[in-house]
Every structure is written in structure tokens, then in C-alpha cells.
Amino acid sequence: QVHLVESGGGSLQPGGSLKLSCKVSGYDSKRLCMGWIRQGSGRAREGVTSFSSEGVITYAPFAKGRFTVSRDDSSNSLYLQMENVEFGDAAMYYCAADASHTGTCAHRIFVGLVDSVGQGIQVTASS
């Protein structure tokens, strides 16, 4: 059973940075398709980035050049470094993981066909 716990959320200021963490337990993160998804107030849930077990990374257009996903195998964790954040980045961010090998990791994360999703971490905007 994959268990995901997010941390690191908080208040963002436009132009600032924020780093989110996702601790994986119950499974080896190296063998998982993982990623981040988010849902802003009044908006549909959307994929942010995916990180396959082979290390293939995909970003949503809004994340390219501003967000960086990384995986630390020693701590069984996934991270999301957010730079030059915007008010539109305020949302609940969820860590997602999938152990199957059906289709590409990017497809599973961005469509939401995953086995496990964390409880989420809130990122709010402040002026």
C-alpha cells in the first residue's frame, strides 16, 4: 500500500519560491510513476508534472521553466521546487503515484489514472 504525505506548503508571494515535499512509504519510490497535481479554487484538478520510474519528466505548459520536480531515492521522496510563483499557482497540491505500467507515466498523472494520492497541501497567495 503506497502512502503519500505532502509537506512544505504555505503562503506564496508573486515572484517568490516555494518547495513542496512528498514522502513515500509502503513502496520503493524508484519503482513508481509519480507526480504532482493541483486544484485551485473553482478550477478543475490539473496535472503539474510527472516523474516516471525511469526518470522521464514531463511538465504542464504553465510549469515549464518555473517548476522543477526531483526525486531523492535515499529518502524515498519526491519534491517540487516552485520558482517565480504567480497568484495563479495558489491551489491545493497533491502528490500522486501509480505502480502499474499501463500507458505512459505522464498520461496517468495528467489524466488522473493513479493508484494513490496524498491528502494534499495548501499553497495560498499573499500580496
Side-chain angles (χ1 to χ4, degrees):
Q1 183 77 20
V2 178
H3 188 56
L4 308 171
V5 178
E6 302 93 339
S7 61
S11 179
L12 62 82
Q13 292 188 326
S17 62
L18 200 63
K19 186 173 185 177
L20 306 182
S21 302
C22 172
K23 176 67 175 177
V24 181
S25 60
Y27 211 91
D28 186 347
S29 63
K30 296 192 301 294
R31 298 171 57 196
L32 290 169
C33 157
M34 296 195 69
W36 292 92
I37 55 181
R38 71 182 189 182
Q39 186 166 19
S41 179
R43 304 203 304 260
R45 190 171 287 192
E46 58 184 353
V48 177
T49 182
S50 64
F51 195 116
S52 79
S53 58
E54 298 85 9
V56 177
I57 295 172
T58 302
Y59 293 102
F62 65 80
K64 284 181 181 177
R66 299 192 302 122
F67 294 1
T68 302
V69 64
S70 61
R71 190 182 71 199
D72 182 355
D73 295 340
S74 65
S75 62
N76 222 32
S77 298
L78 188 76
Y79 302 96
L80 182 66
Q81 178 69 47
M82 303 164 61
E83 303 285 349
N84 195 22
V85 296
E86 303 167 352
F87 280 127
D89 294 321
M92 184 73 85
Y93 284 74
Y94 300 88
C95 181
D98 188 75
S100 75
H101 295 278
T102 304
T104 67
C105 179
H107 176 78
R108 281 176 275 154
I109 294 293
F110 281 82
V111 173
L113 296 173
V114 295
D115 295 329
S116 305
V117 179
Q119 289 193 323
I121 191 82
Q122 187 72 51
V123 174
T124 57
S126 64
S127 57

PDB file of all heavy atoms in Angstrom, residues 44-75:
ATOM      1  N   ALA A  44     -10.753  23.025 -12.120  1.00  0.00           N
ATOM      2  CA  ALA A  44     -10.619  21.574 -12.197  1.00  0.00           C
ATOM      3  C   ALA A  44      -9.222  21.154 -11.765  1.00  0.00           C
ATOM      4  O   ALA A  44      -8.268  21.946 -11.838  1.00  0.00           O
ATOM      5  CB  ALA A  44     -10.890  21.096 -13.621  1.00  0.00           C
ATOM      6  N   ARG A  45      -9.123  19.921 -11.325  1.00  0.00           N
ATOM      7  CA  ARG A  45      -7.817  19.397 -10.961  1.00  0.00           C
ATOM      8  C   ARG A  45      -6.965  19.283 -12.234  1.00  0.00           C
ATOM      9  O   ARG A  45      -7.461  18.885 -13.292  1.00  0.00           O
ATOM     10  CB  ARG A  45      -7.973  18.026 -10.304  1.00  0.00           C
ATOM     11  CG  ARG A  45      -6.723  17.486  -9.675  1.00  0.00           C
ATOM     12  CD  ARG A  45      -6.998  16.235  -8.854  1.00  0.00           C
ATOM     13  NE  ARG A  45      -7.679  16.549  -7.616  1.00  0.00           N
ATOM     14  CZ  ARG A  45      -7.825  15.677  -6.607  1.00  0.00           C
ATOM     15  NH1 ARG A  45      -7.346  14.448  -6.730  1.00  0.00           N
ATOM     16  NH2 ARG A  45      -8.456  16.022  -5.508  1.00  0.00           N
ATOM     17  N   GLU A  46      -5.678  19.637 -12.133  1.00  0.00           N
ATOM     18  CA  GLU A  46      -4.814  19.593 -13.303  1.00  0.00           C
ATOM     19  C   GLU A  46      -3.441  19.029 -12.941  1.00  0.00           C
ATOM     20  O   GLU A  46      -2.947  19.216 -11.821  1.00  0.00           O
ATOM     21  CB  GLU A  46      -4.640  20.991 -13.904  1.00  0.00           C
ATOM     22  CG  GLU A  46      -4.076  22.026 -12.970  1.00  0.00           C
ATOM     23  CD  GLU A  46      -4.008  23.423 -13.584  1.00  0.00           C
ATOM     24  OE1 GLU A  46      -4.271  23.582 -14.798  1.00  0.00           O
ATOM     25  OE2 GLU A  46      -3.672  24.369 -12.851  1.00  0.00           O
ATOM     26  N   GLY A  47      -2.853  18.354 -13.894  1.00  0.00           N
ATOM     27  CA  GLY A  47      -1.523  17.820 -13.695  1.00  0.00           C
ATOM     28  C   GLY A  47      -0.478  18.918 -13.748  1.00  0.00           C
ATOM     29  O   GLY A  47      -0.585  19.840 -14.558  1.00  0.00           O
ATOM     30  N   VAL A  48       0.516  18.831 -12.900  1.00  0.00           N
ATOM     31  CA  VAL A  48       1.598  19.805 -12.859  1.00  0.00           C
ATOM     32  C   VAL A  48       2.852  19.204 -13.494  1.00  0.00           C
ATOM     33  O   VAL A  48       3.457  19.803 -14.383  1.00  0.00           O
ATOM     34  CB  VAL A  48       1.907  20.226 -11.414  1.00  0.00           C
ATOM     35  CG1 VAL A  48       3.084  21.197 -11.382  1.00  0.00           C
ATOM     36  CG2 VAL A  48       0.676  20.839 -10.769  1.00  0.00           C
ATOM     37  N   THR A  49       3.215  18.027 -13.037  1.00  0.00           N
ATOM     38  CA  THR A  49       4.415  17.378 -13.544  1.00  0.00           C
ATOM     39  C   THR A  49       4.383  15.885 -13.220  1.00  0.00           C
ATOM     40  O   THR A  49       3.754  15.480 -12.251  1.00  0.00           O
ATOM     41  CB  THR A  49       5.685  18.017 -12.938  1.00  0.00           C
ATOM     42  OG1 THR A  49       6.856  17.393 -13.480  1.00  0.00           O
ATOM     43  CG2 THR A  49       5.711  17.872 -11.422  1.00  0.00           C
ATOM     44  N   SER A  50       5.063  15.108 -14.037  1.00  0.00           N
ATOM     45  CA  SER A  50       5.199  13.668 -13.789  1.00  0.00           C
ATOM     46  C   SER A  50       6.666  13.277 -13.797  1.00  0.00           C
ATOM     47  O   SER A  50       7.490  13.920 -14.466  1.00  0.00           O
ATOM     48  CB  SER A  50       4.438  12.861 -14.839  1.00  0.00           C
ATOM     49  OG  SER A  50       4.992  13.064 -16.126  1.00  0.00           O
ATOM     50  N   PHE A  51       6.966  12.214 -13.052  1.00  0.00           N
ATOM     51  CA  PHE A  51       8.336  11.711 -12.931  1.00  0.00           C
ATOM     52  C   PHE A  51       8.242  10.199 -12.972  1.00  0.00           C
ATOM     53  O   PHE A  51       7.789   9.579 -12.025  1.00  0.00           O
ATOM     54  CB  PHE A  51       8.940  12.189 -11.601  1.00  0.00           C
ATOM     55  CG  PHE A  51      10.438  12.041 -11.504  1.00  0.00           C
ATOM     56  CD1 PHE A  51      11.244  13.152 -11.379  1.00  0.00           C
ATOM     57  CD2 PHE A  51      11.039  10.784 -11.503  1.00  0.00           C
ATOM     58  CE1 PHE A  51      12.625  13.033 -11.265  1.00  0.00           C
ATOM     59  CE2 PHE A  51      12.411  10.644 -11.403  1.00  0.00           C
ATOM     60  CZ  PHE A  51      13.208  11.777 -11.273  1.00  0.00           C
ATOM     61  N   SER A  52       8.635   9.610 -14.085  1.00  0.00           N
ATOM     62  CA  SER A  52       8.461   8.170 -14.233  1.00  0.00           C
ATOM     63  C   SER A  52       9.537   7.398 -13.472  1.00  0.00           C
ATOM     64  O   SER A  52      10.538   7.953 -13.022  1.00  0.00           O
ATOM     65  CB  SER A  52       8.507   7.783 -15.709  1.00  0.00           C
ATOM     66  OG  SER A  52       9.856   7.745 -16.175  1.00  0.00           O
ATOM     67  N   SER A  53       9.325   6.107 -13.331  1.00  0.00           N
ATOM     68  CA  SER A  53      10.299   5.253 -12.647  1.00  0.00           C
ATOM     69  C   SER A  53      11.634   5.237 -13.399  1.00  0.00           C
ATOM     70  O   SER A  53      12.684   4.984 -12.801  1.00  0.00           O
ATOM     71  CB  SER A  53       9.750   3.830 -12.502  1.00  0.00           C
ATOM     72  OG  SER A  53       9.427   3.293 -13.767  1.00  0.00           O
ATOM     73  N   GLU A  54      11.605   5.523 -14.708  1.00  0.00           N
ATOM     74  CA  GLU A  54      12.836   5.593 -15.498  1.00  0.00           C
ATOM     75  C   GLU A  54      13.468   6.977 -15.474  1.00  0.00           C
ATOM     76  O   GLU A  54      14.523   7.188 -16.071  1.00  0.00           O
ATOM     77  CB  GLU A  54      12.552   5.203 -16.956  1.00  0.00           C
ATOM     78  CG  GLU A  54      12.049   3.781 -17.139  1.00  0.00           C
ATOM     79  CD  GLU A  54      10.549   3.671 -16.948  1.00  0.00           C
ATOM     80  OE1 GLU A  54       9.886   4.726 -16.837  1.00  0.00           O
ATOM     81  OE2 GLU A  54      10.037   2.543 -16.908  1.00  0.00           O
ATOM     82  N   GLY A  55      12.812   7.905 -14.792  1.00  0.00           N
ATOM     83  CA  GLY A  55      13.373   9.253 -14.704  1.00  0.00           C
ATOM     84  C   GLY A  55      12.923  10.192 -15.807  1.00  0.00           C
ATOM     85  O   GLY A  55      13.497  11.278 -15.966  1.00  0.00           O
ATOM     86  N   VAL A  56      11.899   9.800 -16.569  1.00  0.00           N
ATOM     87  CA  VAL A  56      11.373  10.684 -17.605  1.00  0.00           C
ATOM     88  C   VAL A  56      10.450  11.720 -16.947  1.00  0.00           C
ATOM     89  O   VAL A  56       9.538  11.370 -16.206  1.00  0.00           O
ATOM     90  CB  VAL A  56      10.599   9.879 -18.671  1.00  0.00           C
ATOM     91  CG1 VAL A  56       9.984  10.820 -19.701  1.00  0.00           C
ATOM     92  CG2 VAL A  56      11.527   8.877 -19.344  1.00  0.00           C
ATOM     93  N   ILE A  57      10.687  12.978 -17.241  1.00  0.00           N
ATOM     94  CA  ILE A  57       9.953  14.084 -16.609  1.00  0.00           C
ATOM     95  C   ILE A  57       9.119  14.819 -17.653  1.00  0.00           C
ATOM     96  O   ILE A  57       9.599  15.089 -18.763  1.00  0.00           O
ATOM     97  CB  ILE A  57      10.929  15.058 -15.936  1.00  0.00           C
ATOM     98  CG1 ILE A  57      11.646  14.371 -14.776  1.00  0.00           C
ATOM     99  CG2 ILE A  57      10.186  16.305 -15.446  1.00  0.00           C
ATOM    100  CD1 ILE A  57      12.776  15.206 -14.172  1.00  0.00           C
ATOM    101  N   THR A  58       7.899  15.139 -17.271  1.00  0.00           N
ATOM    102  CA  THR A  58       7.016  15.937 -18.124  1.00  0.00           C
ATOM    103  C   THR A  58       6.417  17.059 -17.293  1.00  0.00           C
ATOM    104  O   THR A  58       6.035  16.842 -16.142  1.00  0.00           O
ATOM    105  CB  THR A  58       5.885  15.068 -18.715  1.00  0.00           C
ATOM    106  OG1 THR A  58       6.453  13.987 -19.458  1.00  0.00           O
ATOM    107  CG2 THR A  58       4.997  15.883 -19.634  1.00  0.00           C
ATOM    108  N   TYR A  59       6.348  18.251 -17.869  1.00  0.00           N
ATOM    109  CA  TYR A  59       5.754  19.399 -17.188  1.00  0.00           C
ATOM    110  C   TYR A  59       4.545  19.903 -17.956  1.00  0.00           C
ATOM    111  O   TYR A  59       4.529  19.906 -19.188  1.00  0.00           O
ATOM    112  CB  TYR A  59       6.752  20.538 -17.070  1.00  0.00           C
ATOM    113  CG  TYR A  59       7.929  20.272 -16.153  1.00  0.00           C
ATOM    114  CD1 TYR A  59       9.176  19.933 -16.676  1.00  0.00           C
ATOM    115  CD2 TYR A  59       7.793  20.373 -14.773  1.00  0.00           C
ATOM    116  CE1 TYR A  59      10.258  19.700 -15.841  1.00  0.00           C
ATOM    117  CE2 TYR A  59       8.869  20.137 -13.929  1.00  0.00           C
ATOM    118  CZ  TYR A  59      10.101  19.798 -14.471  1.00  0.00           C
ATOM    119  OH  TYR A  59      11.176  19.568 -13.638  1.00  0.00           O
ATOM    120  N   ALA A  60       3.577  20.411 -17.217  1.00  0.00           N
ATOM    121  CA  ALA A  60       2.490  21.151 -17.845  1.00  0.00           C
ATOM    122  C   ALA A  60       3.066  22.446 -18.395  1.00  0.00           C
ATOM    123  O   ALA A  60       4.062  22.967 -17.870  1.00  0.00           O
ATOM    124  CB  ALA A  60       1.403  21.451 -16.817  1.00  0.00           C
ATOM    125  N   PRO A  61       2.456  23.004 -19.438  1.00  0.00           N
ATOM    126  CA  PRO A  61       2.996  24.246 -20.022  1.00  0.00           C
ATOM    127  C   PRO A  61       3.191  25.361 -18.995  1.00  0.00           C
ATOM    128  O   PRO A  61       4.196  26.087 -19.064  1.00  0.00           O
ATOM    129  CB  PRO A  61       1.931  24.615 -21.066  1.00  0.00           C
ATOM    130  CG  PRO A  61       1.366  23.303 -21.487  1.00  0.00           C
ATOM    131  CD  PRO A  61       1.337  22.475 -20.230  1.00  0.00           C
ATOM    132  N   PHE A  62       2.276  25.493 -18.043  1.00  0.00           N
ATOM    133  CA  PHE A  62       2.402  26.585 -17.080  1.00  0.00           C
ATOM    134  C   PHE A  62       3.563  26.364 -16.118  1.00  0.00           C
ATOM    135  O   PHE A  62       4.017  27.282 -15.444  1.00  0.00           O
ATOM    136  CB  PHE A  62       1.097  26.759 -16.282  1.00  0.00           C
ATOM    137  CG  PHE A  62       0.744  25.597 -15.393  1.00  0.00           C
ATOM    138  CD1 PHE A  62       1.336  25.429 -14.152  1.00  0.00           C
ATOM    139  CD2 PHE A  62      -0.192  24.668 -15.807  1.00  0.00           C
ATOM    140  CE1 PHE A  62       1.016  24.355 -13.334  1.00  0.00           C
ATOM    141  CE2 PHE A  62      -0.526  23.592 -15.010  1.00  0.00           C
ATOM    142  CZ  PHE A  62       0.085  23.436 -13.769  1.00  0.00           C
ATOM    143  N   ALA A  63       4.038  25.117 -16.026  1.00  0.00           N
ATOM    144  CA  ALA A  63       5.105  24.788 -15.078  1.00  0.00           C
ATOM    145  C   ALA A  63       6.501  24.843 -15.707  1.00  0.00           C
ATOM    146  O   ALA A  63       7.493  24.997 -14.988  1.00  0.00           O
ATOM    147  CB  ALA A  63       4.859  23.406 -14.488  1.00  0.00           C
ATOM    148  N   LYS A  64       6.572  24.719 -17.002  1.00  0.00           N
ATOM    149  CA  LYS A  64       7.869  24.698 -17.676  1.00  0.00           C
ATOM    150  C   LYS A  64       8.644  25.974 -17.415  1.00  0.00           C
ATOM    151  O   LYS A  64       8.123  27.075 -17.558  1.00  0.00           O
ATOM    152  CB  LYS A  64       7.680  24.510 -19.181  1.00  0.00           C
ATOM    153  CG  LYS A  64       7.326  23.108 -19.597  1.00  0.00           C
ATOM    154  CD  LYS A  64       7.177  23.006 -21.102  1.00  0.00           C
ATOM    155  CE  LYS A  64       6.793  21.607 -21.512  1.00  0.00           C
ATOM    156  NZ  LYS A  64       6.562  21.493 -22.976  1.00  0.00           N
ATOM    157  N   GLY A  65       9.902  25.806 -17.022  1.00  0.00           N
ATOM    158  CA  GLY A  65      10.767  26.951 -16.789  1.00  0.00           C
ATOM    159  C   GLY A  65      10.613  27.578 -15.420  1.00  0.00           C
ATOM    160  O   GLY A  65      11.425  28.414 -15.018  1.00  0.00           O
ATOM    161  N   ARG A  66       9.577  27.177 -14.670  1.00  0.00           N
ATOM    162  CA  ARG A  66       9.375  27.746 -13.330  1.00  0.00           C
ATOM    163  C   ARG A  66       9.410  26.680 -12.244  1.00  0.00           C
ATOM    164  O   ARG A  66       9.843  26.936 -11.124  1.00  0.00           O
ATOM    165  CB  ARG A  66       8.034  28.486 -13.258  1.00  0.00           C
ATOM    166  CG  ARG A  66       7.910  29.648 -14.201  1.00  0.00           C
ATOM    167  CD  ARG A  66       6.683  30.513 -13.885  1.00  0.00           C
ATOM    168  NE  ARG A  66       5.436  29.757 -13.933  1.00  0.00           N
ATOM    169  CZ  ARG A  66       4.597  29.659 -12.907  1.00  0.00           C
ATOM    170  NH1 ARG A  66       4.857  30.247 -11.762  1.00  0.00           N
ATOM    171  NH2 ARG A  66       3.467  28.955 -13.037  1.00  0.00           N
ATOM    172  N   PHE A  67       8.924  25.496 -12.558  1.00  0.00           N
ATOM    173  CA  PHE A  67       8.866  24.418 -11.573  1.00  0.00           C
ATOM    174  C   PHE A  67       9.883  23.345 -11.920  1.00  0.00           C
ATOM    175  O   PHE A  67      10.149  23.069 -13.097  1.00  0.00           O
ATOM    176  CB  PHE A  67       7.476  23.776 -11.559  1.00  0.00           C
ATOM    177  CG  PHE A  67       6.363  24.676 -11.087  1.00  0.00           C
ATOM    178  CD1 PHE A  67       6.582  25.995 -10.725  1.00  0.00           C
ATOM    179  CD2 PHE A  67       5.061  24.194 -11.015  1.00  0.00           C
ATOM    180  CE1 PHE A  67       5.552  26.812 -10.303  1.00  0.00           C
ATOM    181  CE2 PHE A  67       4.018  24.988 -10.589  1.00  0.00           C
ATOM    182  CZ  PHE A  67       4.254  26.301 -10.241  1.00  0.00           C
ATOM    183  N   THR A  68      10.431  22.721 -10.884  1.00  0.00           N
ATOM    184  CA  THR A  68      11.368  21.623 -11.076  1.00  0.00           C
ATOM    185  C   THR A  68      10.986  20.469 -10.159  1.00  0.00           C
ATOM    186  O   THR A  68      10.876  20.667  -8.936  1.00  0.00           O
ATOM    187  CB  THR A  68      12.808  22.054 -10.757  1.00  0.00           C
ATOM    188  OG1 THR A  68      13.169  23.162 -11.579  1.00  0.00           O
ATOM    189  CG2 THR A  68      13.780  20.905 -11.023  1.00  0.00           C
ATOM    190  N   VAL A  69      10.796  19.304 -10.746  1.00  0.00           N
ATOM    191  CA  VAL A  69      10.485  18.113  -9.958  1.00  0.00           C
ATOM    192  C   VAL A  69      11.760  17.300  -9.792  1.00  0.00           C
ATOM    193  O   VAL A  69      12.597  17.236 -10.699  1.00  0.00           O
ATOM    194  CB  VAL A  69       9.374  17.276 -10.631  1.00  0.00           C
ATOM    195  CG1 VAL A  69       9.814  16.728 -11.980  1.00  0.00           C
ATOM    196  CG2 VAL A  69       8.899  16.160  -9.702  1.00  0.00           C
ATOM    197  N   SER A  70      11.904  16.695  -8.638  1.00  0.00           N
ATOM    198  CA  SER A  70      13.067  15.845  -8.393  1.00  0.00           C
ATOM    199  C   SER A  70      12.682  14.724  -7.443  1.00  0.00           C
ATOM    200  O   SER A  70      11.689  14.821  -6.709  1.00  0.00           O
ATOM    201  CB  SER A  70      14.227  16.663  -7.821  1.00  0.00           C
ATOM    202  OG  SER A  70      13.866  17.253  -6.585  1.00  0.00           O
ATOM    203  N   ARG A  71      13.484  13.682  -7.482  1.00  0.00           N
ATOM    204  CA  ARG A  71      13.225  12.525  -6.622  1.00  0.00           C
ATOM    205  C   ARG A  71      14.497  12.202  -5.860  1.00  0.00           C
ATOM    206  O   ARG A  71      15.591  12.196  -6.429  1.00  0.00           O
ATOM    207  CB  ARG A  71      12.817  11.320  -7.487  1.00  0.00           C
ATOM    208  CG  ARG A  71      12.298  10.117  -6.710  1.00  0.00           C
ATOM    209  CD  ARG A  71      11.973   8.973  -7.667  1.00  0.00           C
ATOM    210  NE  ARG A  71      13.201   8.385  -8.219  1.00  0.00           N
ATOM    211  CZ  ARG A  71      13.221   7.638  -9.335  1.00  0.00           C
ATOM    212  NH1 ARG A  71      12.116   7.398 -10.004  1.00  0.00           N
ATOM    213  NH2 ARG A  71      14.369   7.138  -9.762  1.00  0.00           N
ATOM    214  N   ASP A  72      14.378  11.946  -4.588  1.00  0.00           N
ATOM    215  CA  ASP A  72      15.508  11.564  -3.756  1.00  0.00           C
ATOM    216  C   ASP A  72      15.291  10.123  -3.330  1.00  0.00           C
ATOM    217  O   ASP A  72      14.469   9.837  -2.448  1.00  0.00           O
ATOM    218  CB  ASP A  72      15.612  12.487  -2.549  1.00  0.00           C
ATOM    219  CG  ASP A  72      16.811  12.156  -1.663  1.00  0.00           C
ATOM    220  OD1 ASP A  72      17.503  11.156  -1.920  1.00  0.00           O
ATOM    221  OD2 ASP A  72      17.069  12.917  -0.713  1.00  0.00           O
ATOM    222  N   ASP A  73      16.036   9.222  -3.940  1.00  0.00           N
ATOM    223  CA  ASP A  73      15.839   7.806  -3.649  1.00  0.00           C
ATOM    224  C   ASP A  73      16.260   7.444  -2.223  1.00  0.00           C
ATOM    225  O   ASP A  73      15.716   6.518  -1.620  1.00  0.00           O
ATOM    226  CB  ASP A  73      16.621   6.960  -4.660  1.00  0.00           C
ATOM    227  CG  ASP A  73      16.098   7.128  -6.078  1.00  0.00           C
ATOM    228  OD1 ASP A  73      14.929   7.572  -6.242  1.00  0.00           O
ATOM    229  OD2 ASP A  73      16.838   6.849  -7.034  1.00  0.00           O
ATOM    230  N   SER A  74      17.220   8.162  -1.697  1.00  0.00           N
ATOM    231  CA  SER A  74      17.704   7.831  -0.344  1.00  0.00           C
ATOM    232  C   SER A  74      16.634   8.101   0.716  1.00  0.00           C
ATOM    233  O   SER A  74      16.604   7.445   1.761  1.00  0.00           O
ATOM    234  CB  SER A  74      18.977   8.611  -0.024  1.00  0.00           C
ATOM    235  OG  SER A  74      18.710  10.001   0.033  1.00  0.00           O
ATOM    236  N   SER A  75      15.775   9.082   0.446  1.00  0.00           N
ATOM    237  CA  SER A  75      14.729   9.407   1.411  1.00  0.00           C
ATOM    238  C   SER A  75      13.340   8.981   0.928  1.00  0.00           C
ATOM    239  O   SER A  75      12.344   9.242   1.606  1.00  0.00           O
ATOM    240  CB  SER A  75      14.716  10.905   1.717  1.00  0.00           C
ATOM    241  OG  SER A  75      14.423  11.646   0.541  1.00  0.00           O
TER     242      SER A  75
END
